Amino acid sequence: MLFPPTLPSQLRQTRHLVVFTGAGVSQESGIPTFRDALTGLWAQFDAEQLATPEAFAADPELVWGWYEWRRGLVLRKEPNAAHRAIAELAQKVPRLTLITQNVDGLHERAGSRDPLSLHGSLHRPYCSTCGRRHRLPDGLPDLVEGGARLPPPECSACGGLVRPGVVWFGEALPGAAWEQAEAAVCECDLLFSVGTSSLVYPAAQLPHQAAQSGAQVVQINPASTSLDSVCAFNVRGSAAQVLPELVACAWPAV
Ligand code: OAD
């Protein structure tokens, strides 16, 4: 057992649990995290270099190709035991708010309803000129080994370039999701920070706000992060290992 023996009973007594997730929660589904080294065409770039409005303006084919590659990858992967344990937790505790920085849709596919998606979604592109939502063709996008540039589609309303539905560096987070996330962290009694490097703000401030409001913060991450000192416990393990075990210990099958 990687977590302290008191954690399951604390979880059982929690009234409002916030689960705050990052790319590490999808790592065991086979999706590289943002700070993993990239391969193929993408090896020349940091993920952060491809995730800006400036990058899209300078080279839309490169940026659209990168996001279509990621979308093709995540559609070929399945939610893992960590995503499923989080969906199960929502059935166990009186209230659970799931806040995610992930854009892969795996929480929803595991059965979590209405996660607060602070960084948008790979599956909801829209026009960069008029904002109209763009419907992606059914079926899987090709997954070219090593990646490929791809021209973005044109908006059916105004002819503008369609862009990925994700939040880029320098852009505001979706207002309603952010407001609900801030309210939840101020009200919760326990927050799990799972699989995030805690480097990207404003999202990374949420666990700090929870701690300042009196909640206990527990981090589940095999590596240490800048959040370590704020946490009541740092559980050094993988999300797909720790979360199901924690749920099973808190609510043992009869
Ligand atoms: P990162 O790639 O920065 O961090 C992933 C974290 O997951 C690291 O701390 C790893 O140690 C941890 N990790 C790896 N495998 C794990 C596992 N199996 N179980 C648990 N933890 C594991 O990803 P994020 O923190 O999500 O933003 O990155 C935050 C934001 O930066 C992303 O949403 C994205 C990115 O650039 C935008 O695109 C706006």
Side-chain angles (χ1 to χ4, degrees):
M1 198 192 290
L2 290 163
F3 44 82
T6 51
L7 190 54
S9 68
Q10 189 186 350
L11 179 58
R12 222 172 25 244
Q13 287 157 31
T14 294
R15 284 165 288 114
H16 183 180
L17 172 68
V18 168
V19 182
F20 173 59
T21 65
V25 86
S26 296
Q27 188 262 342
E28 285 153 288
S29 292
I31 300 171
T33 67
F34 282 92
R35 282 155 188 91
D36 279 340
L38 302 175
T39 55
L41 172 60
W42 316 127
Q44 305 160 44
F45 306 95
D46 292 333
E48 288 193 13
Q49 278 177 276
L50 298 163
T52 64
E54 293 77 21
F56 186 67
D59 195 342
E61 297 192 2
L62 178 73
V63 173
W64 183 257
W66 152 249
Y67 281 99
E68 278 295 275
W69 178 79
R70 285 191 73 85
R71 191 171 70 85
L73 185 69
V74 304
L75 287 173
R76 286 170 173 84
K77 305 293 184 186
E78 297 299 326
N80 65 50
H83 299 106
R84 290 193 295 275
I86 293 166
E88 194 183 339
L89 266 173
Q91 311 295 320
K92 305 279 191 198
V93 295
R95 185 166 169 211
L96 182 143
T97 306
L98 173 57
I99 307 172
T100 188
Q101 299 165 87
N102 297 345
V103 295
D104 54 30
L106 289 180
H107 282 304
E108 291 92 331
R109 283 169 56 196
S112 285
R113 288 217 230 119
D114 302 325
L116 300 175
S117 295
L118 297 183
H119 292 166
S121 167
L122 286 173
H123 310 290
R124 291 198 289 273
Y126 62 91
C127 175
S128 59
T129 303
C130 73
R132 187 188 175 107
R133 285 279 278 278
H134 174 78
R135 199 183 133 85
L136 289 161
D138 292 336
L140 293 177
D142 290 338
L143 194 61
V144 179
E145 188 66 34
R149 302 174 112 85
L150 277 180
E154 286 178 6
C155 172
S156 57
C158 78
L161 289 186
V162 171
R163 58 160 283 176
V166 301
V167 176
W168 282 327
F169 288 97
E171 294 183 322
L173 304 193
W178 178 248
E179 279 170 27
Q180 289 173 59
E182 279 201 301
V185 297
C186 292
E187 290 161 16
C188 70
D189 39 356
L190 181 63
L191 180 145
F192 287 166
S193 175
V194 190
T196 173
S197 57
S198 302
L199 289 172
V200 175
Y201 283 78
Q205 84 193 32
L206 292 170
H208 295 269
Q209 281 176 245
Q212 280 156 15
S213 305
Q216 284 230 314
V217 177
V218 173
Q219 179 169 232
I220 300 167
N221 194 319
S224 81
T225 75
S226 62
L227 192 65
D228 286 12
S229 57
V230 172
C231 293
F233 309 120
N234 286 290
V235 185
R236 295 266 180 258
S238 87
Q241 184 191 359
V242 171
L243 283 170
E245 194 180 337
L246 195 48
V247 176
C249 285
W251 292 276
V254 278

